[in-house]
Amino acid sequence: MKLVIMKFGGSSVADAQKIQHVAGRVAARRQGGFRVVAVVSAPGGMTDDLLTLARGVAETPDERELDVLLATGEQASIALLCMALKGAGQEAISLTGPQAGIFADTDHTRARITHIKPKKIHAELAKGKVVVVAGFQGLNPNEDIVTLGRGGSDLTAIALAAALKADLCEIYTDVEGVFTTDPRVVADARKLNEISYDEMLELAGSGAQVMQGRSVEVAKKYNVVFEVRSTFSGAPGTRVHQEVSYMEDVVVSGIAFDRHQAKVSMIEVPDRPGIAAEIFGALAQVGVNVDMIIQSTAQGGTNDISFTVPQGDLKKALAALEPVKSELKAKDVVHEAGVGKVAVVGVGMRSHPGVAARMFKALADRGINIQMISTSEIKISCIVAKDQVDAAVKGLHEAFELGKKTRVKA
Ligand code: ADP
Ligand code: ASP
Ligand code: MG
């Protein structure tokens, strides 16, 4: 019998009625002749509420205890979904991440899955039950609960699809698939029928929260083909896989944005080998991911080095740079929290020049100033003022004609 992984995000299990709706979809799949493993997120908003609660009792909550707390959101969902399934006459069993045999490393709040021992899942499936697994969590070698980073239920679903060699992996959410950009920002954003892992990775890495970036990395590594689709409609979604039929043909597939970036500049650091290693080494040590980096040309034996970090990491980054600043005798460390990032992504960029020029012109035509630029083989991103992010996204969507059925071809 074929095996399907069905993952439901927070908005899909936000209240009793929605949980019953999800139960209906899951039961229908089981009755349609599939073995079903459902993965669920915490009810929408619960993880944020728990975080606020934790920060209310301690300025910097202990990370081990924070993980114990955050993991409860998903545990509420698995119990509720199983109650709804049983109420509808479908045998089901809830399993926490540790019960499901999901093992992870010791990095609290952002742990990586190390391996999965799906013995119990197999045993329960063999009894004909739907197995409902809590997303976003696992057990570390100290037998402590760890969580897998925000959006981590996607990772649970993809990793289970790989470990169980599932025939299908479906990510159910509150939109009908992956769109050319966030449909909440651009009304004529179009649903993509398919997208490559590489593009999905770049979109996720640039702020498109529809899939957690790390989950896409794992899907690519283990070649897990998955579909992003709507919990609330029967419309076909977006297939995410290795090869897409439009490869190289369409220049830009999508636009992503992130309104929560911060810019940091180290002013007048010495122009000699090892300086960048020291600065970014200090940030890496405290787990801060740096995105764009710009180094000015040297003047009078010194450089300015600017870079961006997620806004939530700004405090941590500034604290880590304090000793580096004194050691390097830098003139100053300045920062700006209110910046945003917009990125255009497309595999076609590999073979077609001119995308950058077109992007910059579209922004210039709308009076949007570019503060920083970075590129990869299939992505160009720009830092702009936070309050211009929406205008930038709309402008780029229009300039690359992403709302039209036939997108800009080379
Ligand atoms: P879930 O709770 O199901 O995990 P998320 O909120 O994490 O759902 O992700 C879905 C949301 O991602 C959508 O509601 C949408 O606003 C946002 N989003 C951002 N970029 C895109 C995009 N390119 N395509 C579809 N949705 C996007
Ligand atoms: N509940 C977690 C979060 O809000 C994990 C998830 O939803 O995927 O980030
Ligand atoms: Mg999500």
PDB file of all heavy atoms in Angstrom, residues 344-379:
ATOM      1  N   VAL A 344      15.326  38.673  -6.669  1.00  0.00           N
ATOM      2  CA  VAL A 344      14.722  37.998  -7.820  1.00  0.00           C
ATOM      3  C   VAL A 344      15.489  36.696  -8.044  1.00  0.00           C
ATOM      4  O   VAL A 344      16.708  36.656  -7.928  1.00  0.00           O
ATOM      5  CB  VAL A 344      14.700  38.855  -9.122  1.00  0.00           C
ATOM      6  CG1 VAL A 344      13.914  40.130  -8.931  1.00  0.00           C
ATOM      7  CG2 VAL A 344      16.091  39.155  -9.623  1.00  0.00           C
ATOM      8  N   VAL A 345      14.739  35.628  -8.324  1.00  0.00           N
ATOM      9  CA  VAL A 345      15.320  34.285  -8.392  1.00  0.00           C
ATOM     10  C   VAL A 345      14.896  33.604  -9.691  1.00  0.00           C
ATOM     11  O   VAL A 345      13.730  33.692 -10.092  1.00  0.00           O
ATOM     12  CB  VAL A 345      14.809  33.442  -7.194  1.00  0.00           C
ATOM     13  CG1 VAL A 345      15.221  31.977  -7.331  1.00  0.00           C
ATOM     14  CG2 VAL A 345      15.305  34.013  -5.871  1.00  0.00           C
ATOM     15  N   GLY A 346      15.830  32.925 -10.333  1.00  0.00           N
ATOM     16  CA  GLY A 346      15.467  32.157 -11.539  1.00  0.00           C
ATOM     17  C   GLY A 346      16.654  31.397 -12.093  1.00  0.00           C
ATOM     18  O   GLY A 346      17.742  31.971 -12.232  1.00  0.00           O
ATOM     19  N   VAL A 347      16.470  30.125 -12.415  1.00  0.00           N
ATOM     20  CA  VAL A 347      17.588  29.335 -12.963  1.00  0.00           C
ATOM     21  C   VAL A 347      18.030  29.860 -14.327  1.00  0.00           C
ATOM     22  O   VAL A 347      19.176  29.693 -14.721  1.00  0.00           O
ATOM     23  CB  VAL A 347      17.269  27.829 -13.098  1.00  0.00           C
ATOM     24  CG1 VAL A 347      17.328  27.125 -11.782  1.00  0.00           C
ATOM     25  CG2 VAL A 347      15.927  27.590 -13.770  1.00  0.00           C
ATOM     26  N   GLY A 348      17.112  30.532 -15.028  1.00  0.00           N
ATOM     27  CA  GLY A 348      17.443  31.060 -16.351  1.00  0.00           C
ATOM     28  C   GLY A 348      18.560  32.099 -16.322  1.00  0.00           C
ATOM     29  O   GLY A 348      19.210  32.359 -17.328  1.00  0.00           O
ATOM     30  N   MET A 349      18.777  32.691 -15.128  1.00  0.00           N
ATOM     31  CA  MET A 349      19.832  33.712 -15.011  1.00  0.00           C
ATOM     32  C   MET A 349      21.203  33.162 -15.329  1.00  0.00           C
ATOM     33  O   MET A 349      22.105  33.889 -15.705  1.00  0.00           O
ATOM     34  CB  MET A 349      19.890  34.192 -13.557  1.00  0.00           C
ATOM     35  CG  MET A 349      19.008  35.326 -13.264  1.00  0.00           C
ATOM     36  SD  MET A 349      19.302  35.757 -11.545  1.00  0.00           S
ATOM     37  CE  MET A 349      17.641  36.010 -11.056  1.00  0.00           C
ATOM     38  N   ARG A 350      21.359  31.847 -15.125  1.00  0.00           N
ATOM     39  CA  ARG A 350      22.655  31.219 -15.371  1.00  0.00           C
ATOM     40  C   ARG A 350      23.123  31.499 -16.797  1.00  0.00           C
ATOM     41  O   ARG A 350      24.293  31.680 -17.042  1.00  0.00           O
ATOM     42  CB  ARG A 350      22.543  29.696 -15.208  1.00  0.00           C
ATOM     43  CG  ARG A 350      22.455  29.250 -13.784  1.00  0.00           C
ATOM     44  CD  ARG A 350      22.626  27.733 -13.709  1.00  0.00           C
ATOM     45  NE  ARG A 350      22.497  27.307 -12.327  1.00  0.00           N
ATOM     46  CZ  ARG A 350      21.635  26.392 -11.899  1.00  0.00           C
ATOM     47  NH1 ARG A 350      20.835  25.785 -12.740  1.00  0.00           N
ATOM     48  NH2 ARG A 350      21.577  26.075 -10.623  1.00  0.00           N
ATOM     49  N   SER A 351      22.171  31.489 -17.711  1.00  0.00           N
ATOM     50  CA  SER A 351      22.573  31.600 -19.114  1.00  0.00           C
ATOM     51  C   SER A 351      22.167  32.917 -19.779  1.00  0.00           C
ATOM     52  O   SER A 351      22.488  33.135 -20.927  1.00  0.00           O
ATOM     53  CB  SER A 351      21.984  30.414 -19.890  1.00  0.00           C
ATOM     54  OG  SER A 351      20.657  30.194 -19.477  1.00  0.00           O
ATOM     55  N   HIS A 352      21.438  33.761 -19.036  1.00  0.00           N
ATOM     56  CA  HIS A 352      20.978  34.983 -19.692  1.00  0.00           C
ATOM     57  C   HIS A 352      21.404  36.224 -18.931  1.00  0.00           C
ATOM     58  O   HIS A 352      20.971  36.442 -17.802  1.00  0.00           O
ATOM     59  CB  HIS A 352      19.458  34.965 -19.828  1.00  0.00           C
ATOM     60  CG  HIS A 352      18.965  33.773 -20.579  1.00  0.00           C
ATOM     61  ND1 HIS A 352      19.269  33.576 -21.894  1.00  0.00           N
ATOM     62  CD2 HIS A 352      18.231  32.706 -20.190  1.00  0.00           C
ATOM     63  CE1 HIS A 352      18.726  32.435 -22.284  1.00  0.00           C
ATOM     64  NE2 HIS A 352      18.109  31.893 -21.264  1.00  0.00           N
ATOM     65  N   PRO A 353      22.238  37.060 -19.541  1.00  0.00           N
ATOM     66  CA  PRO A 353      22.675  38.280 -18.871  1.00  0.00           C
ATOM     67  C   PRO A 353      21.560  39.340 -18.894  1.00  0.00           C
ATOM     68  O   PRO A 353      20.543  39.156 -19.557  1.00  0.00           O
ATOM     69  CB  PRO A 353      23.872  38.730 -19.725  1.00  0.00           C
ATOM     70  CG  PRO A 353      23.634  38.136 -21.074  1.00  0.00           C
ATOM     71  CD  PRO A 353      22.803  36.901 -20.890  1.00  0.00           C
ATOM     72  N   GLY A 354      21.761  40.397 -18.163  1.00  0.00           N
ATOM     73  CA  GLY A 354      20.828  41.525 -18.265  1.00  0.00           C
ATOM     74  C   GLY A 354      19.772  41.568 -17.182  1.00  0.00           C
ATOM     75  O   GLY A 354      19.025  42.542 -17.094  1.00  0.00           O
ATOM     76  N   VAL A 355      19.701  40.517 -16.349  1.00  0.00           N
ATOM     77  CA  VAL A 355      18.665  40.508 -15.314  1.00  0.00           C
ATOM     78  C   VAL A 355      18.945  41.589 -14.266  1.00  0.00           C
ATOM     79  O   VAL A 355      18.045  42.308 -13.829  1.00  0.00           O
ATOM     80  CB  VAL A 355      18.557  39.118 -14.644  1.00  0.00           C
ATOM     81  CG1 VAL A 355      17.502  39.120 -13.557  1.00  0.00           C
ATOM     82  CG2 VAL A 355      18.254  38.057 -15.686  1.00  0.00           C
ATOM     83  N   ALA A 356      20.231  41.723 -13.909  1.00  0.00           N
ATOM     84  CA  ALA A 356      20.589  42.716 -12.887  1.00  0.00           C
ATOM     85  C   ALA A 356      20.221  44.115 -13.373  1.00  0.00           C
ATOM     86  O   ALA A 356      19.574  44.882 -12.653  1.00  0.00           O
ATOM     87  CB  ALA A 356      22.077  42.623 -12.572  1.00  0.00           C
ATOM     88  N   ALA A 357      20.581  44.420 -14.613  1.00  0.00           N
ATOM     89  CA  ALA A 357      20.312  45.759 -15.146  1.00  0.00           C
ATOM     90  C   ALA A 357      18.807  46.039 -15.129  1.00  0.00           C
ATOM     91  O   ALA A 357      18.360  47.126 -14.740  1.00  0.00           O
ATOM     92  CB  ALA A 357      20.852  45.863 -16.566  1.00  0.00           C
ATOM     93  N   ARG A 358      18.041  45.040 -15.507  1.00  0.00           N
ATOM     94  CA  ARG A 358      16.598  45.191 -15.541  1.00  0.00           C
ATOM     95  C   ARG A 358      16.035  45.414 -14.129  1.00  0.00           C
ATOM     96  O   ARG A 358      15.126  46.216 -13.917  1.00  0.00           O
ATOM     97  CB  ARG A 358      16.021  43.906 -16.129  1.00  0.00           C
ATOM     98  CG  ARG A 358      14.601  44.014 -16.501  1.00  0.00           C
ATOM     99  CD  ARG A 358      14.242  42.815 -17.323  1.00  0.00           C
ATOM    100  NE  ARG A 358      12.871  42.920 -17.740  1.00  0.00           N
ATOM    101  CZ  ARG A 358      12.382  42.336 -18.817  1.00  0.00           C
ATOM    102  NH1 ARG A 358      13.173  41.612 -19.565  1.00  0.00           N
ATOM    103  NH2 ARG A 358      11.129  42.456 -19.119  1.00  0.00           N
ATOM    104  N   MET A 359      16.595  44.684 -13.181  1.00  0.00           N
ATOM    105  CA  MET A 359      16.144  44.832 -11.787  1.00  0.00           C
ATOM    106  C   MET A 359      16.463  46.242 -11.275  1.00  0.00           C
ATOM    107  O   MET A 359      15.607  46.922 -10.699  1.00  0.00           O
ATOM    108  CB  MET A 359      16.836  43.795 -10.909  1.00  0.00           C
ATOM    109  CG  MET A 359      16.483  43.894  -9.441  1.00  0.00           C
ATOM    110  SD  MET A 359      17.316  42.594  -8.503  1.00  0.00           S
ATOM    111  CE  MET A 359      16.493  42.745  -6.926  1.00  0.00           C
ATOM    112  N   PHE A 360      17.692  46.688 -11.515  1.00  0.00           N
ATOM    113  CA  PHE A 360      18.104  47.994 -10.990  1.00  0.00           C
ATOM    114  C   PHE A 360      17.285  49.113 -11.635  1.00  0.00           C
ATOM    115  O   PHE A 360      16.915  50.082 -10.989  1.00  0.00           O
ATOM    116  CB  PHE A 360      19.605  48.237 -11.218  1.00  0.00           C
ATOM    117  CG  PHE A 360      20.477  47.160 -10.601  1.00  0.00           C
ATOM    118  CD1 PHE A 360      21.744  46.884 -11.113  1.00  0.00           C
ATOM    119  CD2 PHE A 360      20.040  46.412  -9.514  1.00  0.00           C
ATOM    120  CE1 PHE A 360      22.537  45.887 -10.554  1.00  0.00           C
ATOM    121  CE2 PHE A 360      20.830  45.416  -8.946  1.00  0.00           C
ATOM    122  CZ  PHE A 360      22.075  45.154  -9.474  1.00  0.00           C
ATOM    123  N   LYS A 361      16.986  48.946 -12.925  1.00  0.00           N
ATOM    124  CA  LYS A 361      16.205  49.975 -13.616  1.00  0.00           C
ATOM    125  C   LYS A 361      14.784  50.030 -13.046  1.00  0.00           C
ATOM    126  O   LYS A 361      14.247  51.112 -12.806  1.00  0.00           O
ATOM    127  CB  LYS A 361      16.173  49.703 -15.126  1.00  0.00           C
ATOM    128  CG  LYS A 361      15.367  50.747 -15.869  1.00  0.00           C
ATOM    129  CD  LYS A 361      15.702  50.815 -17.339  1.00  0.00           C
ATOM    130  CE  LYS A 361      15.012  51.955 -18.072  1.00  0.00           C
ATOM    131  NZ  LYS A 361      13.745  52.409 -17.568  1.00  0.00           N
ATOM    132  N   ALA A 362      14.214  48.843 -12.798  1.00  0.00           N
ATOM    133  CA  ALA A 362      12.852  48.799 -12.250  1.00  0.00           C
ATOM    134  C   ALA A 362      12.807  49.519 -10.901  1.00  0.00           C
ATOM    135  O   ALA A 362      11.850  50.249 -10.607  1.00  0.00           O
ATOM    136  CB  ALA A 362      12.391  47.351 -12.102  1.00  0.00           C
ATOM    137  N   LEU A 363      13.834  49.332 -10.097  1.00  0.00           N
ATOM    138  CA  LEU A 363      13.858  49.995  -8.784  1.00  0.00           C
ATOM    139  C   LEU A 363      14.081  51.506  -8.955  1.00  0.00           C
ATOM    140  O   LEU A 363      13.406  52.322  -8.317  1.00  0.00           O
ATOM    141  CB  LEU A 363      14.943  49.371  -7.893  1.00  0.00           C
ATOM    142  CG  LEU A 363      14.702  47.897  -7.514  1.00  0.00           C
ATOM    143  CD1 LEU A 363      15.888  47.324  -6.733  1.00  0.00           C
ATOM    144  CD2 LEU A 363      13.425  47.737  -6.687  1.00  0.00           C
ATOM    145  N   ALA A 364      15.010  51.855  -9.844  1.00  0.00           N
ATOM    146  CA  ALA A 364      15.310  53.276 -10.074  1.00  0.00           C
ATOM    147  C   ALA A 364      14.070  54.007 -10.581  1.00  0.00           C
ATOM    148  O   ALA A 364      13.734  55.102 -10.101  1.00  0.00           O
ATOM    149  CB  ALA A 364      16.449  53.408 -11.075  1.00  0.00           C
ATOM    150  N   ASP A 365      13.360  53.387 -11.516  1.00  0.00           N
ATOM    151  CA  ASP A 365      12.158  54.018 -12.089  1.00  0.00           C
ATOM    152  C   ASP A 365      11.125  54.329 -11.015  1.00  0.00           C
ATOM    153  O   ASP A 365      10.270  55.196 -11.197  1.00  0.00           O
ATOM    154  CB  ASP A 365      11.495  53.077 -13.115  1.00  0.00           C
ATOM    155  CG  ASP A 365      12.294  53.027 -14.414  1.00  0.00           C
ATOM    156  OD1 ASP A 365      13.220  53.864 -14.560  1.00  0.00           O
ATOM    157  OD2 ASP A 365      12.014  52.146 -15.250  1.00  0.00           O
ATOM    158  N   ARG A 366      11.182  53.582  -9.923  1.00  0.00           N
ATOM    159  CA  ARG A 366      10.201  53.807  -8.852  1.00  0.00           C
ATOM    160  C   ARG A 366      10.807  54.595  -7.687  1.00  0.00           C
ATOM    161  O   ARG A 366      10.256  54.631  -6.584  1.00  0.00           O
ATOM    162  CB  ARG A 366       9.654  52.451  -8.379  1.00  0.00           C
ATOM    163  CG  ARG A 366       8.731  51.859  -9.428  1.00  0.00           C
ATOM    164  CD  ARG A 366       8.569  50.368  -9.303  1.00  0.00           C
ATOM    165  NE  ARG A 366       7.696  49.861 -10.372  1.00  0.00           N
ATOM    166  CZ  ARG A 366       8.115  49.526 -11.588  1.00  0.00           C
ATOM    167  NH1 ARG A 366       9.397  49.618 -11.918  1.00  0.00           N
ATOM    168  NH2 ARG A 366       7.258  49.081 -12.496  1.00  0.00           N
ATOM    169  N   GLY A 367      11.953  55.180  -7.937  1.00  0.00           N
ATOM    170  CA  GLY A 367      12.593  56.034  -6.928  1.00  0.00           C
ATOM    171  C   GLY A 367      13.090  55.279  -5.707  1.00  0.00           C
ATOM    172  O   GLY A 367      13.166  55.826  -4.609  1.00  0.00           O
ATOM    173  N   ILE A 368      13.422  53.993  -5.908  1.00  0.00           N
ATOM    174  CA  ILE A 368      13.872  53.189  -4.762  1.00  0.00           C
ATOM    175  C   ILE A 368      15.394  53.094  -4.766  1.00  0.00           C
ATOM    176  O   ILE A 368      16.003  52.652  -5.750  1.00  0.00           O
ATOM    177  CB  ILE A 368      13.225  51.785  -4.799  1.00  0.00           C
ATOM    178  CG1 ILE A 368      11.705  51.935  -4.646  1.00  0.00           C
ATOM    179  CG2 ILE A 368      13.813  50.875  -3.721  1.00  0.00           C
ATOM    180  CD1 ILE A 368      10.920  50.684  -4.967  1.00  0.00           C
ATOM    181  N   ASN A 369      15.996  53.534  -3.665  1.00  0.00           N
ATOM    182  CA  ASN A 369      17.444  53.532  -3.578  1.00  0.00           C
ATOM    183  C   ASN A 369      17.971  52.162  -3.143  1.00  0.00           C
ATOM    184  O   ASN A 369      17.435  51.547  -2.228  1.00  0.00           O
ATOM    185  CB  ASN A 369      17.879  54.603  -2.564  1.00  0.00           C
ATOM    186  CG  ASN A 369      19.372  54.805  -2.576  1.00  0.00           C
ATOM    187  OD1 ASN A 369      19.993  54.815  -3.640  1.00  0.00           O
ATOM    188  ND2 ASN A 369      19.960  54.925  -1.401  1.00  0.00           N
ATOM    189  N   ILE A 370      19.007  51.678  -3.840  1.00  0.00           N
ATOM    190  CA  ILE A 370      19.607  50.384  -3.484  1.00  0.00           C
ATOM    191  C   ILE A 370      20.782  50.643  -2.544  1.00  0.00           C
ATOM    192  O   ILE A 370      21.710  51.376  -2.873  1.00  0.00           O
ATOM    193  CB  ILE A 370      20.113  49.660  -4.759  1.00  0.00           C
ATOM    194  CG1 ILE A 370      18.953  49.436  -5.728  1.00  0.00           C
ATOM    195  CG2 ILE A 370      20.785  48.347  -4.394  1.00  0.00           C
ATOM    196  CD1 ILE A 370      19.403  48.934  -7.102  1.00  0.00           C
ATOM    197  N   GLN A 371      20.727  50.025  -1.362  1.00  0.00           N
ATOM    198  CA  GLN A 371      21.803  50.261  -0.391  1.00  0.00           C
ATOM    199  C   GLN A 371      22.920  49.230  -0.501  1.00  0.00           C
ATOM    200  O   GLN A 371      24.074  49.515  -0.223  1.00  0.00           O
ATOM    201  CB  GLN A 371      21.227  50.228   1.024  1.00  0.00           C
ATOM    202  CG  GLN A 371      20.141  51.268   1.240  1.00  0.00           C
ATOM    203  CD  GLN A 371      19.616  51.257   2.659  1.00  0.00           C
ATOM    204  OE1 GLN A 371      20.223  50.687   3.554  1.00  0.00           O
ATOM    205  NE2 GLN A 371      18.486  51.875   2.881  1.00  0.00           N
ATOM    206  N   MET A 372      22.569  48.008  -0.841  1.00  0.00           N
ATOM    207  CA  MET A 372      23.573  46.946  -0.983  1.00  0.00           C
ATOM    208  C   MET A 372      23.075  45.958  -2.024  1.00  0.00           C
ATOM    209  O   MET A 372      21.867  45.820  -2.216  1.00  0.00           O
ATOM    210  CB  MET A 372      23.744  46.171   0.332  1.00  0.00           C
ATOM    211  CG  MET A 372      24.390  46.954   1.441  1.00  0.00           C
ATOM    212  SD  MET A 372      24.219  46.045   2.993  1.00  0.00           S
ATOM    213  CE  MET A 372      25.879  45.602   3.299  1.00  0.00           C
ATOM    214  N   ILE A 373      24.014  45.251  -2.662  1.00  0.00           N
ATOM    215  CA  ILE A 373      23.635  44.272  -3.688  1.00  0.00           C
ATOM    216  C   ILE A 373      24.418  42.989  -3.442  1.00  0.00           C
ATOM    217  O   ILE A 373      25.592  43.045  -3.081  1.00  0.00           O
ATOM    218  CB  ILE A 373      24.019  44.792  -5.104  1.00  0.00           C
ATOM    219  CG1 ILE A 373      23.325  46.126  -5.402  1.00  0.00           C
ATOM    220  CG2 ILE A 373      23.699  43.763  -6.178  1.00  0.00           C
ATOM    221  CD1 ILE A 373      23.925  46.876  -6.583  1.00  0.00           C
ATOM    222  N   SER A 374      23.770  41.849  -3.633  1.00  0.00           N
ATOM    223  CA  SER A 374      24.560  40.614  -3.662  1.00  0.00           C
ATOM    224  C   SER A 374      23.966  39.681  -4.708  1.00  0.00           C
ATOM    225  O   SER A 374      22.775  39.787  -5.039  1.00  0.00           O
ATOM    226  CB  SER A 374      24.614  39.948  -2.284  1.00  0.00           C
ATOM    227  OG  SER A 374      23.503  39.126  -2.108  1.00  0.00           O
ATOM    228  N   THR A 375      24.790  38.801  -5.228  1.00  0.00           N
ATOM    229  CA  THR A 375      24.299  37.903  -6.279  1.00  0.00           C
ATOM    230  C   THR A 375      24.773  36.478  -6.032  1.00  0.00           C
ATOM    231  O   THR A 375      25.791  36.256  -5.387  1.00  0.00           O
ATOM    232  CB  THR A 375      24.823  38.319  -7.674  1.00  0.00           C
ATOM    233  OG1 THR A 375      26.251  38.218  -7.671  1.00  0.00           O
ATOM    234  CG2 THR A 375      24.410  39.712  -8.038  1.00  0.00           C
ATOM    235  N   SER A 376      23.985  35.525  -6.520  1.00  0.00           N
ATOM    236  CA  SER A 376      24.459  34.149  -6.631  1.00  0.00           C
ATOM    237  C   SER A 376      24.181  33.786  -8.083  1.00  0.00           C
ATOM    238  O   SER A 376      23.709  34.626  -8.851  1.00  0.00           O
ATOM    239  CB  SER A 376      23.683  33.227  -5.684  1.00  0.00           C
ATOM    240  OG  SER A 376      22.427  32.883  -6.254  1.00  0.00           O
ATOM    241  N   GLU A 377      24.443  32.545  -8.435  1.00  0.00           N
ATOM    242  CA  GLU A 377      24.265  32.145  -9.826  1.00  0.00           C
ATOM    243  C   GLU A 377      22.826  32.355 -10.303  1.00  0.00           C
ATOM    244  O   GLU A 377      22.580  32.683 -11.453  1.00  0.00           O
ATOM    245  CB  GLU A 377      24.620  30.659  -9.916  1.00  0.00           C
ATOM    246  CG  GLU A 377      25.289  30.287 -11.189  1.00  0.00           C
ATOM    247  CD  GLU A 377      25.442  28.776 -11.289  1.00  0.00           C
ATOM    248  OE1 GLU A 377      25.144  28.069 -10.299  1.00  0.00           O
ATOM    249  OE2 GLU A 377      25.810  28.317 -12.354  1.00  0.00           O
ATOM    250  N   ILE A 378      21.866  32.155  -9.377  1.00  0.00           N
ATOM    251  CA  ILE A 378      20.460  32.228  -9.801  1.00  0.00           C
ATOM    252  C   ILE A 378      19.650  33.241  -8.972  1.00  0.00           C
ATOM    253  O   ILE A 378      18.444  33.153  -8.903  1.00  0.00           O
ATOM    254  CB  ILE A 378      19.785  30.835  -9.751  1.00  0.00           C
ATOM    255  CG1 ILE A 378      19.744  30.286  -8.323  1.00  0.00           C
ATOM    256  CG2 ILE A 378      20.467  29.851 -10.677  1.00  0.00           C
ATOM    257  CD1 ILE A 378      18.728  29.141  -8.162  1.00  0.00           C
ATOM    258  N   LYS A 379      20.346  34.197  -8.331  1.00  0.00           N
ATOM    259  CA  LYS A 379      19.618  35.174  -7.512  1.00  0.00           C
ATOM    260  C   LYS A 379      20.335  36.519  -7.482  1.00  0.00           C
ATOM    261  O   LYS A 379      21.556  36.571  -7.456  1.00  0.00           O
ATOM    262  CB  LYS A 379      19.522  34.644  -6.075  1.00  0.00           C
ATOM    263  CG  LYS A 379      18.813  35.591  -5.126  1.00  0.00           C
ATOM    264  CD  LYS A 379      18.949  35.155  -3.680  1.00  0.00           C
ATOM    265  CE  LYS A 379      20.364  35.408  -3.172  1.00  0.00           C
ATOM    266  NZ  LYS A 379      20.546  35.006  -1.776  1.00  0.00           N
TER     267      LYS A 379
END
